[in-house]
Amino acid sequence: MKPVRLAILGLGTVGGGILKLLQENAAEIKRRTGREIQITHVGTRRPRPDLNLDQKIKQSADLLNIVAQDDVDVVIEVMGGIHPAYEVLLEAIKHGKHIITANKALLAEHGNELFKAAEDHSVQIVYEAAVAGGIPIIKVIREGLAANKIDWLAGIINGTGNFILTEMRDKGRAFDDVLKEAQELGYAEADPTFDVEGIDAAHKLTLLASNAFGIPLQFSKVYTEGISKITAQDVKYAEELGYRIKHLGIARRTANGIELRVHPTLIPQEELLANVNGVKNAILVQANAVGPTLYYGAGAGAGPTASAIVADVVDLVRDISYTEDGAGTVPQLAFEALTDLPILNREEMTTGYYLRVNAEDQTGVLADITTILSRAGISIDAIMQQTRLKDSIPIVILTDPIQESIMDEALAKIQALPAIHGETIRIRLESLDQ
Ligand code: HSE
């Protein structure tokens, strides 16, 4: 069989990592595919003499031209950003090339169009590297758990955010200082607001949910909150109550539709996800036959991302070999089989809460707050009055799960009490271990 020929678009940290891995593990990869893999083109504006590329590999900055070449079977896109990646990949698909991408933003926001084009041209788009770096979670859902109906999944899917929360908690470091270090370590997105405002996690959750529930990609319907408002004070109070604050992406099937949400979440300290620290990612999947399973590993960095990309290369090489024998490809987003389960609005979602109310030291204020909550049918799980800070007393309350719209109304009433100072902090709370 003739070799499968690759074009790599983007020669930054990840592009370099892929070249290194293909070279270092060439024997293993050959054993697993039974076929030669050749890199024929590299698309980059900044050549990398340090990589000592084989002279036979053609280098160019004209990406549209590369993806039209006959000596390319698979295009690997690791340049990031939506434009020109979208136009280049669409062109590649039209030329019958299979696609491997790590670009979660592109797929979450334009995946429906790209997958449709891929189906029309009988090519594959695979994207293991787009979600949770080196953890093979897409393959887990597509292959390992393929017999199950997935009830929900919850995960730490942004390494930068988890690194920041861990350092704040363990070392009492300031948010900005840790973010700067995450950028220096190469964990953060080009625009770090994607990490700290939850957008990166929402992109990844969009991809996970589409796989888990067989729904179209619906990034705009993910309720998204980042970690930028989390203070050392709330981290400390949560600890005192036996909880950790983690930034989670949650996709849950309910009787009324699907919850898609990304936000800081209190989870009991003893739960597995509460103990996933630093830049590590982890995803807990609850599926109806197997029960809960947990996947843990490095969520960012050149090695883990290259590992996921090269695993996709291996899969595609196997697939191409079969299709050359006359079998059909299995589309990533099977449009015929998609379900139209509704995605719930934030107000329709249900979760527990951590509330921090800043109150004047007045007789009856605690009773007023608890009366509002109990009249709304909100059950209090724990309550703790903290020592006075300047002119107010922080009151921390944990509640049982309640629909968000009910909590909105109750909080508006609490906020309107004359003895309440400043904005009441609310952080969602989940108990996930089964
Ligand atoms: N910025 C991302 C993260 C990189 O921190 O998780 C991996 O997608």
Side-chain angles (χ1 to χ4, degrees):
M1 273 190 282
K2 63 182 177 19
V4 172
R5 296 150 309 171
L6 312 179
I8 302 179
L9 309 183
L11 212 48
T13 317
V14 176
I18 297 167
L19 287 163
K20 188 162 163 264
L21 191 55
L22 281 171
Q23 211 166 25
E24 269 178 18
N25 289 356
E28 290 294 316
I29 293 165
K30 174 80 193 293
R31 189 165 58 75
R32 292 185 177 128
T33 57
R35 201 161 168 177
E36 288 300 332
I37 294 168
Q38 251 178 26
I39 301 164
T40 50
H41 293 262
V42 162
T44 178
R45 270 192 303 256
R46 279 182 291 277
R48 299 258 316 260
D50 59 304
L51 292 173
N52 291 321
L53 284 187
D54 187 326
Q55 295 294 318
K56 287 193 285 247
I57 301 177
K58 290 164 227 151
Q59 294 194 52
S60 151
D62 187 348
L63 308 181
L64 288 171
N65 182 46
I66 293 177
V67 301
Q69 296 302 311
D70 287 340
D71 60 349
V72 174
D73 302 303
V74 176
V75 171
I76 300 178
E77 185 269 311
V78 281
M79 52 196 192
I82 292 191
H83 302 289
Y86 176 77
E87 293 74 16
V88 171
L89 293 194
L90 208 51
E91 190 66 13
I93 291 166
K94 287 183 187 154
H95 281 90
K97 317 298 184 193
H98 297 285
I99 307 291
I100 299 176
T101 178
N103 196 332
K104 55 241 159 163
L106 173 68
L107 290 183
E109 296 184 35
H110 294 283
N112 293 318
E113 297 116 80
L114 288 170
F115 285 117
K116 187 78 189 74
E119 192 175 290
D120 292 346
H121 290 84
S122 301
V123 295
Q124 299 251 24
I125 301 176
V126 286
Y127 53 91
E128 186 60 72
V131 185
I135 306 174
I137 188 66
I138 301 294
K139 292 192 201 321
V140 162
I141 296 172
R142 272 174 61 81
E143 297 168 22
L145 301 182
N148 289 260
K149 181 172 175 190
I150 293 177
D151 301 320
W152 55 261
L153 56 86
I156 294 170
I157 47 179
N158 181 267
T160 303
N162 201 40
F163 179 67
I164 294 174
L165 289 176
T166 305
E167 291 286 305
M168 279 173 75
R169 188 196 77 222
D170 289 355
K171 302 187 188 147
R173 291 177 66 190
F175 186 98
D176 290 340
D177 171 43
V178 192
L179 173 59
K180 197 159 155 279
E181 190 185 342
Q183 286 176 285
E184 284 160 9
L185 290 167
Y187 301 154
E189 294 300 297
D191 176 354
T193 56
F194 275 44
D195 296 295
V196 298
E197 297 307 342
I199 301 158
D200 177 73
H203 285 146
K204 294 166 180 166
L205 189 75
T206 303
L207 296 171
L208 286 172
S210 172
N211 271 278
F213 305 130
I215 54 174
L217 296 149
Q218 295 168 84
F219 168 68
S220 62
K221 295 191 182 160
V222 181
Y223 171 71
T224 305
E225 235 182 71
I227 57 166
S228 58
K229 295 202 184 93
I230 298 293
T231 63
Q233 191 186 1
D234 292 312
V235 171
K236 179 170 158 277
Y237 293 162
E239 290 281 320
E240 283 173 23
L241 287 158
Y243 289 81
R244 297 243 161 95
I245 302 180
K246 289 290 177 190
H247 189 242
L248 295 190
I250 300 174
R252 193 194 305 269
R253 196 192 282 277
T254 76
N256 304 320
I258 305 263
E259 288 185 0
L260 293 181
R261 50 196 171 96
V262 163
H263 50 71
T265 315
L266 266 76
I267 38 183
Q269 267 163 13
E270 66 280 5
E271 291 194 3
L272 292 166
L273 279 184
N275 294 287
V276 172
N277 292 318
V279 71
K280 288 289 194 297
N281 281 196
I283 299 143
L284 183 57
V285 183
Q286 170 66 38
N288 69 345
V290 70
T293 50
L294 178 71
Y295 308 90
Y296 169 87
T305 311
S307 160
I309 295 265
V310 175
D312 275 346
V313 171
V314 169
D315 271 2
L316 271 185
V317 171
R318 288 172 176 156
D319 221 52
I320 290 169
S321 306
Y322 285 123
T323 47
E324 281 171 0
D325 278 350
T329 57
V330 181
Q332 280 285 347
L333 203 59
F335 284 91
E336 298 287 298
L338 289 183
T339 63
D340 58 357
L341 285 169
I343 308 296
L344 300 182
N345 295 322
R346 181 192 64 80
E347 292 76 8
E348 299 167 305
M349 298 177 182
T350 299
T351 144
Y353 282 96
Y354 161 103
L355 305 175
R356 173 162 57 81
V357 190
N358 294 313
E360 272 174 37
D361 191 4
Q362 267 181 21
T363 315
V365 65
L366 195 55
D368 288 345
I369 295 170
T370 52
T371 303
I372 291 172
L373 292 175
S374 79
R375 287 211 177 121
I378 299 170
S379 155
I380 295 173
D381 198 37
I383 190 158
M384 182 172 77
Q385 184 173 316
Q386 293 286 341
T387 42
R388 167 186 286 279
L389 290 174
K390 290 194 198 132
D391 58 346
S392 66
I393 295 181
I395 297 169
V396 175
I397 299 167
L398 304 186
T399 77
D400 285 337
I402 188 78
Q403 191 170 317
E404 298 237 354
S405 58
I406 297 173
M407 183 54 86
D408 289 350
E409 278 175 36
L411 276 186
K413 286 185 187 149
I414 291 173
Q415 203 64 56
L417 292 171
I420 300 305
H421 289 225
E423 195 199 347
T424 295
I425 300 296
R426 66 157 129 178
I427 306 175
R428 292 167 184 85
L429 184 153
E430 298 278 346
S431 194
L432 298 162
D433 276 4
Q434 300 289 296

